[in-house]
Amino acid sequence: MSSVFDRLSEDKKRVLSELRAQIMQLDSEIIEQVRPHRIVYSKNFFMMDFAEITLKGNAIQVTPISREANKTETVLVNDPESIQRAIDVVRAALKRLTD
């Protein structure tokens, strides 16, 4: 299946690959759903979505999915250094989901 992520430069594809790998390491029950326009992360087969990756301009955008309106903090990932901030936000969203 083709997706918007296929158009990324090789540098951005490496950053995206590292980001995806780190998200999957957060919990053994994480499910990654690659869709044509985004990647969604869910906790187990109950499909409780907690984060998504989309593109915003030339940046990779990580958005936690929260049931609370004021708890959304989007992180733009442009380089390997910004991956850790995105992982922290995703980890917090996953924790809110499981608490």
Side-chain angles (χ1 to χ4, degrees), residues 4-53:
V4 296
F5 302 102
D6 296 339
R7 294 179 273 172
L8 289 173
S9 68
E10 289 304 314
D11 289 345
K12 295 286 181 173
K13 284 181 182 179
R14 281 192 290 277
V15 169
L16 178 62
S17 178
E18 178 63 27
L19 178 62
R20 292 170 71 184
Q22 287 192 34
I23 290 172
M24 293 301 292
Q25 291 175 0
L26 293 175
D27 191 290
S28 63
E29 294 183 336
I30 291 177
I31 298 169
E32 179 184 66
Q33 305 165 55
V34 179
R35 300 177 182 169
H37 62 289
R38 66 187 182 143
I39 301 171
V40 178
Y41 292 92
S42 302
K43 170 78 172 178
N44 64 38
F45 288 104
F46 293 117
M47 304 307 264
M48 296 180 290
D49 298 345
F50 64 90
E52 71 178 9
I53 297 175

Side-chain angles (χ1 to χ4, degrees), residues 64-97:
I65 299 172
S66 176
R67 307 304 178 240
E68 302 171 33
N70 298 338
K71 293 287 186 186
T72 302
E73 178 184 356
T74 299
V75 177
L76 293 179
V77 179
N78 292 307
D79 51 41
E81 291 77 33
S82 55
I83 290 175
Q84 188 56 52
R85 177 70 190 128
I87 293 300
D88 291 344
V89 169
V90 170
R91 182 180 290 118
L94 179 59
K95 184 173 178 356
R96 280 193 302 272
L97 183 70

